[in-house]
Amino acid sequence: MVYQKVLGQLLEDARHAIEVTDEELDEARRRRRLLAGAMRGAFPGSTIYFNGSVAHGDANTPLTDVDLGAKLSVEDAKGYGPGRRNALPLMERARQAIRSELGEEFPDLTVKIEGQRRAVLVRFGDPVTPGQPDFTADVMTAIPHPSGMGLYIPNMEISDRWDRADPLTHTKLVLKALEDTDRVFARTVRLLKHWNKKHSKPLCSWNIKALALECIKEPMPLIDALEGFFTHADEALKDGPTKDPAHVAGPIPLNMLRGDVRRRLRTARDYLKLAQEHEAEGRPLSAQRALSRVLPEIVPDVDVTDEEQGRIRSLFSMAAAVGPGLAYGATPTRAWAP
């Protein structure tokens, strides 16, 4: 299709504009390794796992945080769980280990557990991306679930103090999607996270990925992956929130009313379709302008006045050639939304 040549290049440029740099990734991974070493020291026999954007290959710049956890051994987990002890003693143990292992290299390091819902919050006092205020890490102390499926992770805001989740399976699912789609999955998610950020954050990042796992399953042009996501997500949310892909945790909550989320998804879908129509009909500037409504800033807006005037002149010329009325039914004039 002709439109893929121009829209495809715009999307390639857009994803490169927000893609995390190798320097950011290298330093984030180094700090993650330091934290993993501290957790192994604090909890011998634990399994360290990585999750979040760095682990999933969809991090954008500026890079501001990293996520990891320790699945504790049966011995270390003894006595903890719903109806038993909460995670605060485990989090304190993690805090002491992190301070001991990283404090010398990062003199402004702070490690917080007070008021934290799920994880130990590490503030390095030293950003990974120049110009950013800081770089942080969420470090989880998780215990095995008795069923062998998933984990109990802390949730200090509910009476049980523990939730079920399966971050290890989540990461496996995402990494498989990267392989199956030749990394189109991650590239699409990067763009979707930018769309989400610029349109009032209707979805959390994990909800974006969970919905994308359902519809981006093979290599495809980015424009098709984006349109497919918005179409699928709108339909999938019709009957309720997204289910956990690992079939362990509860539904993924939305950041706003479901009707408002769906309206944003449909608006994005419609602009993508309009962009494709414009490009297929030889109006690349109008196509770019429509795409910029979905991905502002990373797809520059353009002035389409001359192109639209040329289209109108062409319609009038057609009308003069074929007779009154016929040309008006061929190609409707579209007004731009504010």
Side-chain angles (χ1 to χ4, degrees), residues 10-327:
L10 286 170
L11 289 173
E12 284 295 312
D13 294 343
R15 77 171 180 86
H16 284 302
I18 57 176
E19 189 175 52
V20 68
T21 66
D22 289 341
E23 292 77 13
E24 290 172 290
L25 271 181
D26 288 346
E27 178 59 17
R29 287 168 174 162
R30 185 184 76 85
R31 297 186 190 190
R32 189 177 65 179
R33 286 195 298 272
L34 293 175
L35 291 168
M39 293 298 283
R40 288 191 183 96
F43 302 102
S46 62
T47 299
I48 305 300
Y49 63 87
F50 301 141
N51 58 322
S53 63
V54 173
H56 295 171
D58 52 53
N60 286 342
T61 190
L63 186 57
T64 58
D65 57 39
V66 71
D67 302 284
L68 70 153
K71 176 184 175 182
L72 274 54
S73 67
V74 173
E75 182 64 28
D76 279 329
K78 189 177 298 182
Y80 292 93
R84 293 179 288 178
R85 302 178 74 186
N86 66 38
L88 283 176
L90 301 174
M91 296 167 75
E92 179 60 38
R93 192 164 153 188
R95 171 159 64 178
Q96 296 301 325
I98 292 168
R99 282 175 171 170
S100 175
E101 291 295 319
L102 281 73
E104 183 175 349
E105 180 178 352
F106 300 98
D108 295 326
L109 183 82
T110 62
V111 189
K112 181 181 178 183
I113 63 174
E114 296 79 11
Q116 294 300 112
R117 179 189 179 197
R118 293 197 183 280
V120 177
L121 174 62
V122 180
R123 297 187 183 277
F124 284 86
D126 180 17
V128 162
T129 305
Q132 292 301 301
D134 204 351
F135 184 77
T136 67
D138 285 330
V139 183
M140 191 87 69
T141 50
I143 62 176
H145 191 271
S147 69
M149 295 179 59
L151 308 172
Y152 276 131
I153 63 173
N155 185 349
M156 305 306 293
E157 295 180 356
I158 63 173
S159 59
D160 278 346
R161 297 290 192 257
W162 297 90
D163 268 339
R164 284 195 70 182
D166 196 347
L168 289 86
T169 294
H170 292 168
T171 296
K172 288 178 182 177
L173 290 171
V174 170
L175 295 180
K176 184 176 187 303
L178 298 187
E179 181 179 354
D180 291 346
T181 65
D182 194 21
R183 302 196 68 82
V184 169
F185 183 91
R187 293 165 185 167
T188 306
V189 168
R190 282 197 176 98
L191 294 170
L192 289 169
K193 289 198 292 188
H194 180 83
W195 162 81
N196 192 58
K197 180 180 178 182
K198 296 300 177 180
H199 294 84
S200 305
K201 295 185 178 180
L203 303 169
C204 70
S205 293
W206 176 237
N207 205 345
I208 290 172
K209 295 178 196 180
L211 288 164
L213 285 170
E214 297 173 354
C215 61
I216 304 174
K217 299 182 178 182
E218 60 187 14
M220 64 182 74
L222 284 174
I223 189 74
D224 293 342
L226 287 169
E227 185 189 335
F229 173 87
F230 289 121
T231 300
H232 170 77
D234 172 48
E235 184 66 23
L237 291 173
K238 182 170 63 177
D239 297 323
T242 312
K243 295 180 180 179
D244 174 27
H247 310 292
V248 167
I252 304 171
L254 300 171
N255 290 342
M256 58 179 62
L257 293 174
R258 185 151 45 99
D260 293 335
V261 174
R262 294 188 64 205
R263 275 190 289 274
R264 282 166 170 77
L265 293 166
R266 288 195 297 269
T267 298
R269 176 203 63 196
D270 291 346
Y271 270 124
L272 288 175
K273 287 183 176 180
L274 181 59
Q276 294 172 42
E277 290 173 14
H278 281 314
E279 185 58 30
E281 293 167 7
R283 297 191 296 276
L285 294 180
S286 296
Q288 180 171 338
R289 191 175 193 198
L291 187 60
S292 76
R293 295 298 192 265
V294 182
L295 300 170
E297 299 178 11
I298 58 174
V299 175
D301 198 0
V302 289
D303 185 351
V304 300
T305 303
D306 290 344
E307 189 173 83
E308 283 297 297
Q309 287 178 345
R311 184 174 71 88
I312 292 170
R313 285 195 296 270
S314 175
L315 284 174
F316 276 109
S317 297
M318 185 188 305
V322 302
L326 185 57

